[in-house]
Amino acid sequence: MSESSVGELPARRPSRQLATHQENLSVDSSCFSSPPVNFLQELPSYRSATRRRTTVLARDKQSSILLKPSDSYSSQREGEITENLNTQSIRKYALNISEKRRLRDIQETQMQYLSEWDQWKRYSSKSWKRFLEKAHEMTDHLELWRKDIRSIEGKFGTGIRSYFSFLRFLVLLNSVIFLIIFTLVLLPVLLTKYKVTNSTFVLIPFNDIDMECTVYPVSSSGLIYFYSYAIDLLSGTGFLEGTSLFYGHYTIDGVKFQNFTYDLPLAYLISTIAYLALSLLWIVKRSVEGFKINLIRSEEHFQSYCNKIFAGWDFCITSHSTASLRHSSLRYELRADLEEERIRQKIAERTSEETIRIYSLRLVLNGLVLAVLSVCFYAIYVATTFSQEHMKKEIDKMVFGENLVISYLPSIVITLANFITPIIFSKIIRYEDYSPGFEVRLTILRCVFMRLATICVLVFTLGSKITSCGDDACELCGYNQKLYPCWETQVGQEMYKLMVFDFIIIMAVTLFVDFPRKLLVTYCSSSKLIQCWGQQEFAIPDNVLGIVYGQTICWIGAFFSPLLPAVATLKFIIIFYVKKLSLLYTCRPSPRQFRASNSNFFFLLVLLIGLCLAVIPLTISMSRIPSSKACGPFTNFNTTWDVIPKMVSTFPSSLQSLVRAITSEAFAVPFFMIICLIMFYFIALAGAHKRVVDQLREQLSLEGRDKRYLIQKLTEAQRDMRSQPL
Amino acid sequence: MGQCLRYQMHWEDLEEYQALTFLTRNEILCIHDTFLKLCPVGKCYKEATLTMEQISSLPALRVNPFRDRICKVFSHNDVFSFEDVLGMASVFSEQACPSLKIEYAFRIYDFNENGFIDEEDLQKIVLRLLDNDDVSEDLMMDLIHHVLRESDLDNDNMLSFSEFEHAMAKSPDFMTSFRIHFWGC
């Protein structure tokens, strides 16, 4: 069935053979399904494709030279060089360096025949490109943790490397968010406080609101216990409460500089909107790459065989152990894919009664999953309520540590739920009879939803407590001012506690579980139980969920606690080093390796889900819950969002009417309809393109068959001609 | 493993190599140092050559299952000059364009060098990837059948260059995995 292996096939490697090879018509009689390769190499299509990729240098140096970069598809007349060639494209030629040098010399002599204007254009574009390259090279040096990530890639492959580059991305994102908040909110306050510039605070003008709403009792106990500082640091109360860490510190209406007054409430709101928009744009920009590839592929599922065979080996692996691991993981993956194919075929052949049974079973099991989720959410609700009610007890009436446990109770319950539910989910999904790949993805999706929804439940519980005052509906101030005189600060404190606890748990798990496990496995190798348990595997999905959880907390909390992104940046930096140490010293790579492309898309998708889930409580608290009247920059406004209408009312009247028109229904409904029409147009266009692609593919395979048939006839005719007596 | 004459690279040469390859200044200098360490005594780096075994034993390549093919594709007359090593590093560098990588990937995977990746080549690729000889016939046939079904558009049981190019353009992992960091500094 294979084609002829003729003694010496004409090796058509044009870049190194200088001579064009003569046709070798040695013919093999045993090929019926595929023609001899040498025949195919004579076809004009093959020759022009090869010429397109590399240069064919004629033996005779004086004759014309055909030159093309490997990606230029413009048609070429022999002996001409297009005007579009410049130095940049020399690199793209598949030639060795001496041939490229010759090519460049030829180009430069050819340049002399161009007009002055073209020469200058070419020269300036070259120097601009060179400048860009040098700038790029210099910024590459500044890339954070470049060497660390490279060494991880060499030892563990690209899947785990993508986790660490994701962590680096989050560090950068958080530092930029902090920069935004710093310049818009903190900087004017700090400049005035430390008398750097000659500016003063503009205090909030006295308004006729009920005096009761503005009472903000500063909690001060007579005796300061020695451990109260530690407790305050961990739970954000006490001495931390009035600092610039929390919202309550910014009880200022503005900052008066020499020429203008800086409107602080507006700046605060705009910084929130800015950091949310920036996060969204940056994540979408990063995920566009992976998404484009997703859109190109038509019907193959994500892990195609071509991808695994041709791009399956990570060429950057340098250590023997990683290489053997890669071999075994490839073996595992390819076998698993074929297995999945077989299962999919089996699923397609299911009878209808089997299908009904499976679907009803799945319905029951999904109901079970929902039940588990609601139990967890209810537990969090109860824990938060309990914690909020008992946190206000006086410090000297409590046993040491009880205060800490009560204030951390929601965090503890959330962490416990996040440990238990993945185990339950992975047990449940075994009965649902999905293909293995889909099982993994669905479990991960459920865990993601579980983890991120717990934060939302916590925030909503807090919100409901803030807006409920016993039986009546909080008419006095709009919120429960007895328990929450400055509710934004208290929400900020909860977010701060969540973040600190998350950090403590990650460190504790690494120090007290991973390292001892490794020590046990190394030194107690006699015990079979311990050997079965084995070393830790670096589980990518769990680790990614952990840091996305931290980032979601940061997004929600940054409004209530402006310094929280800085805390998050520090936390992620420390986690990077801790995880790197843990990876290098305690982990063995798992046989199931995550692919880089799959990972990048998955990480950014989860992060996007986190962002969407973070926006919901923020918008509700900004627009529904009245801002606290005792602290913060929004005491004069009903809700936080009211700053915007007030700002709009200061615009000139034409602009005002424009803004009003854009936000009215008369504009929104037609706009929405036009967007829908445009979307339908593009969907129809994509469908039409797909049909054309399918037709062309079919045509291509028919042409290929014709070609083989004709070549077969030709070889038979030649054979007959040869065998005829002369 | 002797030391070449400590021939410092001229600035013009460095600029020229930067213009002709995708490598950065640091990468070129690091490769220069590595080359000097390996090349024989008494020769200047521009004339010295390295054997394929020496290149195959570089840390970047020594565990690569395709290292013999890489050496074959990038060497001239079975030896490596300094510029050959630079050319190889340029193709495998991070900044290289996809079309160049696809071109050389095709040459590397074409074991019998007939201009097509046929079933024989695919068999060899799979054996190299799985690194054991007891791959069952069924598994092999299945894999080859799936690869050809996905990428062989004209149904001739071989992959021509354009079919390979088309498949690699759709492959999300190709650019990230077809990279080698030669410089160890």
Side-chain angles (χ1 to χ4, degrees), chain A residues 1-3 9-13 15-16 33-35 37 40-41 46 49 52-54 70-71 73 87-88 90-101 104 130 133-134 136-137 140-141 146-147 150 153 158 161 293 296-298 300-320 323-324 326-327 330-331 334-335 338 341-342 595-598 697 700-701 704-705 707-708, chain B residues 15-22 24-27 59-60 62-66 70 72-76 83-84 86-87 90 92 94-95 97 99-100 103-104 106-110 112-120 122 125-126 128-132 134-136 139 142-143 146-147 149-151 153-159 161 164-174 176-181 183 185:
Chain A
M1 170 151 127
S2 60
E3 50 279 314
L9 290 171
R12 292 263 189 183
R13 315 311 309 168
S15 74
R16 265 179 268 120
S33 54
S34 51
V37 173
L40 291 170
Q41 288 171 353
Y46 180 88
R52 255 205 320 250
R53 286 150 44 202
T54 57
S70 56
D71 66 343
Y73 286 85
T87 325
Q88 185 71 14
I90 284 196
R91 295 174 178 174
K92 294 185 183 170
Y93 283 79
L95 300 170
N96 61 6
I97 289 189
S98 47
E99 283 163 3
K100 282 190 206 168
R101 240 187 235 128
R104 191 188 54 180
R130 227 174 280 160
E133 264 166 37
K134 288 232 166 13
H136 204 60
E137 237 178 279
D140 266 350
H141 278 301
R146 193 161 200 237
K147 278 230 173 93
R150 279 267 170 95
E153 185 178 25
T158 50
R161 171 242 157 93
I293 295 172
I296 290 177
R297 63 177 182 92
S298 42
E300 292 105 27
H301 61 287
F302 202 31
Q303 299 297 320
S304 70
Y305 288 93
C306 274
N307 189 35
K308 287 205 177 125
I309 300 272
F310 293 123
W313 183 263
D314 264 341
F315 277 59
C316 51
I317 292 179
T318 49
S319 70
H320 283 284
S324 54
R326 191 72 182 181
H327 284 301
L330 274 170
R331 255 174 258 146
L334 291 172
R335 286 210 172 92
L338 290 173
E341 185 84 22
R342 252 170 254 142
R595 285 195 167 272
S597 55
N598 210 8
R697 273 184 100 146
L700 196 57
S701 80
R705 224 169 51 183
K707 184 173 72 180
R708 284 199 298 280
Chain B
E15 287 287 313
E16 190 190 35
Y17 290 142
Q18 265 193 290
L20 293 178
T21 64
F22 281 104
T24 62
R25 249 181 72 94
N26 279 341
E27 288 170 347
R62 64 179 166 211
V63 295
N64 198 315
F66 300 107
I70 295 176
K72 187 97 194 301
V73 164
F74 286 100
S75 59
H76 287 104
E83 294 185 347
D84 291 330
L86 277 189
S90 165
F92 283 112
E94 261 185 67
Q95 300 91 325
C97 63
S99 50
L100 193 62
E103 162 70 38
Y104 278 97
F106 186 76
R107 291 192 205 176
I108 290 174
Y109 287 137
D110 186 8
N112 47 20
E113 297 196 346
N114 58 2
F116 295 93
I117 297 183
D118 46 19
E119 294 190 9
E120 198 184 314
L122 283 173
I125 296 175
V126 170
R128 295 280 181 103
L129 278 180
L130 301 187
D131 194 38
N132 66 28
D134 57 342
V135 180
S136 67
L139 181 68
D142 252 338
L143 283 174
H146 275 107
V147 170
R149 194 181 62 174
E150 280 174 8
S151 49
L153 297 172
D154 56 2
N155 285 340
D156 57 356
N157 286 340
M158 295 189 294
L159 290 182
F161 178 72
F164 180 76
E165 191 177 16
H166 185 240
M168 289 302 103
K170 285 196 298 184
S171 153
D173 281 326
F174 179 70
T176 45
S177 49
F178 208 69
R179 262 196 308 214
I180 301 182
H181 306 306
W183 45 290
C185 43

Side-chain angles (χ1 to χ4, degrees), chain A residues 56-67:
Chain A
V56 170
L57 296 174
R59 203 183 267 171
D60 182 4
K61 285 198 181 106
Q62 277 147 5
S63 67
S64 49
I65 300 177
L66 200 65
L67 299 155

Side-chain angles (χ1 to χ4, degrees), chain A residues 622-667:
Chain A
M622 281 204 291
S623 53
R624 288 288 149 142
I625 304 183
S627 51
S628 50
K629 306 286 179 287
C631 61
F634 299 103
T635 53
N636 249 356
F637 302 95
N638 198 12
T639 62
T640 313
W641 187 254
D642 285 342
V643 181
I644 301 274
K646 178 169 160 268
M647 181 190 73
V648 169
S649 64
T650 61
F651 285 167
S653 63
S654 52
L655 202 55
Q656 264 190 55
S657 43
L658 181 66
V659 169
R660 229 169 275 145
I662 292 181
T663 52
S664 66
E665 288 93 3
F667 178 80

Side-chain angles (χ1 to χ4, degrees), chain A residues 469-493:
Chain A
C469 323
D471 292 329
D472 50 344
C474 289
E475 289 135 5
L476 198 56
C477 311
Y479 58 90
N480 190 345
Q481 82 281 2
K482 285 202 234 9
L483 289 176
Y484 300 101
C486 190
W487 61 267
E488 286 100 340
T489 303
Q490 270 144 342
V491 175
Q493 281 169 345

